[in-house]
């Protein structure tokens, strides 16, 4: 690993053409045991993170939030473009003390500290609601590409966890990841429009890899689809190429999504965007989770 100042761009993106850059950061930043699979593949599945009773608590809170007219009217709530139903609610750990407790749960924040080798803060939190019969998916992308370009995260020292609050079938729009793709950064083509987040939270456009690049990555790494019971969790590296399909089944897929960033990797100015995204999407409060 090299030592650089935060104004050095190790991962160029949003230029005249796509560019591949080998990862220049560790994947696991500590010597904690049991993280070999995460280091190799860029993800780690935990089939039993939450008990059934705990799932019930968080699912009821999710249902309460999406039914609350005040939450729906909040800028932090994103709605489906076709059905106008709630798709996501951001900064959910600040809206809800129930989800704030989940962030502080040692099973959650403790794992993030192990992977990142430091204290951590919440870069982003949200609940995702994928009801049956037509909820749209999230196209293939690397989260770090967006967080670097538009939020100003300098290094690959962030980790996400998706905690299922409904069963993940192989048919209801589950998470797909390309194992090993986290080792290469794909810098995307094209400039970032102003206020790009308003469109990208509903349908990704800027920061989207080409079909040719995605085909090459899929041929090299394959694709893993995650299924499992409500209460299961998937940890994945910030640079893992991932996405999910539409849910056209009758069976909903809801989850809580938490992003932890190292306090030693605090956001600076965006590397490839005219302005920062709002703080409810990319935090500027770097207070460690306690």
């Amino acid at each position: 690993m090299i030592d650089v100042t935060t104004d050095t761009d190790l991962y160029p993106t949003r230029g005249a053409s796509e560019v591949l850059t080998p990862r220049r950061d560790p994947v696991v930043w500590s010597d904690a045991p049991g993280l070999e699979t995460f280091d190799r593949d860029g993800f780690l599945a935990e089939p039993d993170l939450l008990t059934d009773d705990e799932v019930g608590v968080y699912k009821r809170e999710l249902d309460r939030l999406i039914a609350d007219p005040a939450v729906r009217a909040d800028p932090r709530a994103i709605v489906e473009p076709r059905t106008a139903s709630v798709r996501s609610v951001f900064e959910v750990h600040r809206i809800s003390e129930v989800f704030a407790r989940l962030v502080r749960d040692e099973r959650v924040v403790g794992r993030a500290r192990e992977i990142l080798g430091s204290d951590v803060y919440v870069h982003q939190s949200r609940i995702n609601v994928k009801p049956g019969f037509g909820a749209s998916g999230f196209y293939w992308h690397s989260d770090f590409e967006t967080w670097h370009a538009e939020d100003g995260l300098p290094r690959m020292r962030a980790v996400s966890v998706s905690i299922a609050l409904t069963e993940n079938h192989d048919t209801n729009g589950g998470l797909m990841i390309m194992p090993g793709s986290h080792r290469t950064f794909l810098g995307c083509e094209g400039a970032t429009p102003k206020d790009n987040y308003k469109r990208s939270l509903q349908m990704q456009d800027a920061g989207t890899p080409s079909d040719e690049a995605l085909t090459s990555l899929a041929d090299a790494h394959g694709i893993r689809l995650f299924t499992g019971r409500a209460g299961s969790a998937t940890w994945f590296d910030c640079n893992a190429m991932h996405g999910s399909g539409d849910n056209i089944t009758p069976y909903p897929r809801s989850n809580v999504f938490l992003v932890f960033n190292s306090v030693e990797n605090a956001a600076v100015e965006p590397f490839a965007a005219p302005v920062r995204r709002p703080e409810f999407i990319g935090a500027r409060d770097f207070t460690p989770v306690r």
Side-chain angles (χ1 to χ4, degrees), residues 66 69 71-90 127 129 131 135-136 138 198-203:
I66 64 174
V71 172
R72 183 185 179 83
D74 193 294
R76 292 172 288 188
I78 310 300
V79 300
E80 285 281 351
R82 287 177 295 179
T83 65
S85 59
V86 173
R87 175 188 177 100
S88 301
V89 179
F90 281 80
I127 47 174
V129 185
S136 54
F138 291 87
K198 293 179 180 179
R199 174 176 172 81
S200 67
L201 296 180
Q202 294 181 327
M203 185 176 296

Side-chain angles (χ1 to χ4, degrees), residues 3 12 17 20 25 39 43 52 93 98 108 115 120 133 144-145 151 175-176 181 194 204 217 226 241 246 250-251:
D3 184 23
S17 60
L20 294 175
D25 291 308
D39 185 71
F43 58 81
D52 290 342
H93 71 297
V98 173
V108 177
I115 293 171
V120 298
F133 299 118
F144 179 75
E145 194 281 334
D151 296 339
L175 174 68
M176 296 181 287
S181 60
K194 185 179 179 181
Q204 187 83 0
L217 286 170
F226 290 88
M241 190 63 67
D246 294 350
Y251 310 112

